[in-house]
């Protein structure tokens, strides 16, 4: 691609980052397929003649009451398993900004701005639709703000697109920043009944965990109990337990110590932990959460009619399909106008349109926030879930149409990225000045 002095967005990163991102995307793609399978199973079971057994399983409680951990299986999935998901997100985000290509502000500005736009515009869309409905309904403003990377990558795998590495990296980074914003929203706007004593106690195992990992100690029998204690105490404090996952992820060092050879000696502890935990997150934690959260009784035609006449559902549906698209595309366009940057060679605005549509696939975190926004006894709760599923599916289908149109062009770019005429194992495009 061009080496012009004109600032470029969606430029190709380093080869090492290309390899790392590809490994992540493979894991997330498999996880996305499992997520989709778990969702279909849950929906079929929850609307079958034996639906009662599904809800009985989801609501079955287990755990010690004295630790505030007598939770339903669905609660364990949303409070416990998703903490693993957010731990991996914390590791990935920290690594990107400490040692990844995004430590360069010029490269970071595009996905960060797009992620922020993709949060603000859908939230405003939901609020505009539900402004007259009152404060109880407006609690759901954050539901359509998150992008589900596993679901989005599963869509890309299904449609067999040869999306260029720069666009895949953009999509992954946008989703990771999106997750960080989401967990901040959860911590600030969706706290439970606060217990500051437990919150103060949570600092002790968190500091001990931080001290050990900063000393590059990897012993699971030391770190795992401290991580579990931090999670349990944060949960008991009233702050959503997934916040503990992000805090623990941020504590892990990215760069190797000087004693271990420094940054040039290979992957650091954050990447090591990410390699261990991402398959558990993508292959188990998120699909199990989806299984327990996505099962909603649709109620036939009458139920669907009831859902889609609810302004909550309409707000979520429009925010995912229209708001996410407008936020991501508009923010990216704004960067080009304020920095005079141009799209990298071989890419066009239709490619950004496709990614902006794909960003409307909001699933895992959207389902989590819907649970925090509305209780089980609220009709808005099931309506929100229906809208999340419908909006994500519609966004995926629209993105499929746009990206498939460009697939022949993407295949040509993929062949260029794979070309290695000198046979040194590194594609030639990553060795150009």
């Amino acid at each position: 691609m061009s080496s012009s002095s004109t600032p470029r967005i969606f430029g190709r990163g380093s080869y090492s980052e290309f390899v790392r991102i590809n490994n992540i995307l493979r894991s997330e793609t498999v996880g996305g397929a499992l997520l989709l399978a778990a969702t279909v199973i849950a929906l079929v079971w929850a609307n079958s003649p034996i639906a009662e057994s599904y809800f009985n399983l989801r609501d079955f409680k287990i755990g010690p009451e004295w630790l505030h951990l007598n939770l339903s299986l669905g609660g364990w999935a949303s409070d416990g398993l998703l903490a693993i998901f957010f731990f991996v997100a914390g590791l990935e985000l920290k690594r990107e900004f400490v040692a990844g290509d995004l430590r360069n502000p010029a490269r970071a500005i595009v996905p960060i701005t797009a992620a922020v736009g993709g949060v603000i515009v859908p939230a405003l869309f939901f609020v505009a639709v539900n402004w007259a409905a009152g404060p109880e309904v407006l609690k759901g403003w954050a539901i359509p703000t998150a992008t589900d990377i596993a679901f989005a990558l599963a869509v890309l795998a299904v449609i067999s697109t040869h999306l260029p590495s720069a666009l895949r990296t953009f999509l992954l980074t946008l989703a990771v920043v999106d997750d960080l914003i989401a967990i901040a929203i959860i911590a600030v706007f969706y706290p439970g009944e606060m217990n500051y004593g437990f919150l103060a106690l949570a600092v002790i195992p968190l500091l001990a965990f931080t001290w050990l990992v900063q000393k590059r100690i990897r012993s699971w029998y030391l770190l795992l109990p401290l991580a579990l204690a931090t999670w349990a105490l944060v949960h008991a404090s009233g702050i959503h337990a997934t916040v503990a996952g992000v805090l623990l992820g941020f504590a892990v060092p990215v760069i190797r110590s000087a004693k271990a050879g420094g940054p040039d000696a290979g992957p650091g502890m954050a990447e090591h932990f990410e390699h261990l935990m991402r398959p558990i997150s993508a292959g188990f934690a998120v699909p199990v959460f989806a299984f327990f959260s996505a099962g909603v009784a649709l109620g036939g035609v009458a139920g669907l009619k009831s859902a889609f006449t609810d302004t909550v559902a309409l707000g979520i549906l429009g925010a995912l399909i229209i708001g996410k698209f407008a936020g991501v595309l508009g923010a990216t366009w704004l960067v080009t106008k304020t920095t005079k940057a141009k799209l990298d060679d071989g890419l066009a605005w239709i490619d950004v349109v496709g990614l902006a549509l794909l960003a409307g696939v909001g699933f895992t975190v959207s389902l989590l926030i819907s649970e925090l926004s509305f209780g089980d006894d609220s009709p808005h709760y099931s309506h929100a879930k229906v809208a999340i599923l419908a909006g994500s599916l519609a966004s995926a289908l629209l993105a499929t149409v746009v990206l498939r149109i460009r697939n022949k062009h993407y295949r040509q770019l993929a062949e260029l990225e794979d070309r290695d005429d000198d046979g040194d194992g590194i594609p030639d495009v990553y060795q150009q000045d």
Side-chain angles (χ1 to χ4, degrees), residues 114-136:
V116 171
V119 168
I120 293 175
V121 177
L124 292 176
F125 189 104
F126 180 90
V127 169
V129 172
N130 290 279
W131 184 255
E136 288 301 312

Side-chain angles (χ1 to χ4, degrees), residues 212-223:
L212 288 173
V213 293
Q214 290 296 325
K215 293 292 184 181
R216 273 61 176 185
I217 294 173
R218 302 184 180 187
S219 304
W220 68 268
Y221 52 84
L222 295 176
L223 298 178

Side-chain angles (χ1 to χ4, degrees), residues 35-36 39-40 42-43 47 143 151 290 293-298 308 316-317 320-321 360-364 366-367 382-396:
L35 183 151
L36 291 175
T39 300
V40 171
L43 280 171
N47 291 277
I143 293 173
F151 202 143
S293 187
V296 55
L298 299 177
F308 290 114
I316 293 170
L317 192 65
L320 287 174
I321 300 171
V361 176
F363 194 78
T364 303
S366 293
L367 288 172
S382 58
H383 294 170
K385 287 188 175 184
V386 171
I388 291 167
L389 295 171
S392 297
L393 179 60
S395 295

Side-chain angles (χ1 to χ4, degrees), residues 104-431:
N104 180 350
R107 294 186 65 84
I109 188 64
V110 178
I112 291 177
T113 304
V116 171
V119 168
I120 293 175
V121 177
L124 292 176
F125 189 104
F126 180 90
V127 169
V129 172
N130 290 279
W131 184 255
E136 288 301 312
V137 168
L138 289 176
K139 287 181 180 178
W141 65 270
I143 293 173
T145 59
T147 296
D148 193 301
I149 185 63
F151 202 143
L153 290 172
V155 172
L156 292 179
V158 169
I159 65 177
S160 300
T161 182
H162 295 75
L163 202 66
S165 60
L167 296 183
R168 289 177 180 268
T169 301
F170 168 79
L171 182 62
L172 175 64
T173 308
L174 181 148
V176 170
V177 176
D178 211 299
D179 289 339
L180 178 66
I181 297 172
I183 201 64
I185 289 173
I186 291 170
V188 174
F189 295 99
Y190 296 95
E193 185 177 344
M194 293 299 296
N195 185 313
Y196 293 101
F198 281 119
L199 185 60
L201 287 174
V203 175
I204 298 173
L206 177 60
L207 288 177
F209 180 93
T210 303
W211 183 81
L212 288 173
V213 293
Q214 290 296 325
K215 293 292 184 181
R216 273 61 176 185
I217 294 173
R218 302 184 180 187
S219 304
W220 68 268
Y221 52 84
L222 295 176
L223 298 178
L224 185 59
L226 291 171
L228 290 174
T230 302
W231 172 84
L233 290 167
V234 169
H235 179 275
S237 76
I239 295 177
H240 199 271
T242 51
V243 174
V246 174
L247 295 176
L248 291 165
F250 283 168
V252 179
V254 171
I255 305 296
R256 276 179 173 260
S257 65
K259 183 178 179 181
D264 296 327
M269 182 175 280
E271 192 168 344
H272 170 73
F273 281 177
E274 185 185 338
H275 178 74
L276 290 176
M277 299 304 296
R278 187 175 291 279
I280 298 173
S281 172
F284 178 73
V286 173
V288 171
F289 166 76
F291 171 76
F292 283 117
S293 187
V296 55
L298 299 177
V301 175
L304 290 174
K305 182 178 179 180
S306 174
F308 290 114
T309 53
D310 184 350
T311 57
V312 167
L314 294 176
I316 293 170
L317 192 65
L320 287 174
I321 300 171
I322 302 171
K324 267 289 186 181
F325 167 74
V328 172
L329 181 64
T332 305
W333 178 84
L334 188 63
V335 170
T336 66
K337 293 303 177 183
T338 55
T339 64
K340 296 184 178 179
K342 295 182 178 180
L343 294 177
D344 208 13
D345 293 342
L347 300 178
W349 278 103
I350 187 66
D351 304 316
V352 187
V353 167
L355 288 188
L357 288 168
L358 195 58
V361 176
F363 194 78
T364 303
V365 178
S366 293
L367 288 172
L368 173 61
I369 297 178
S370 72
E371 294 180 0
L372 300 176
S373 301
F374 308 113
D376 289 345
D377 56 345
S378 169
H380 300 309
Y381 180 51
S382 58
H383 294 170
K385 287 188 175 184
V386 171
I388 291 167
L389 295 171
S392 297
L393 179 60
S395 295
L397 292 175
L398 290 170
T400 296
V401 172
V402 174
L403 295 175
R404 284 295 297 178
I405 291 173
R406 294 280 287 170
N407 203 35
K408 182 177 180 181
H409 179 67
Y410 295 155
R411 187 178 292 110
Q412 294 172 347
L413 293 179
E415 291 173 356
L416 177 66
E417 289 183 343
D418 291 338
R419 188 170 178 176
D420 181 21
D421 290 340
D422 58 12
D424 65 352
I426 300 177
D428 298 335
V429 291
Y430 292 97
Q431 297 173 310

Side-chain angles (χ1 to χ4, degrees), residues 45 51-63 70-78 291-293 295 371 375-377 381 385:
W45 192 352
E52 186 178 353
S53 63
Y54 169 82
F55 295 108
N56 288 339
L57 176 65
R58 185 196 66 184
D59 297 334
F60 180 77
K61 289 191 173 183
I62 187 173
N70 185 226
L71 307 176
S72 66
L73 292 180
W76 277 106
S78 63
F291 171 76
F292 283 117
S293 187
E371 294 180 0
D376 289 345
D377 56 345
Y381 180 51
K385 287 188 175 184

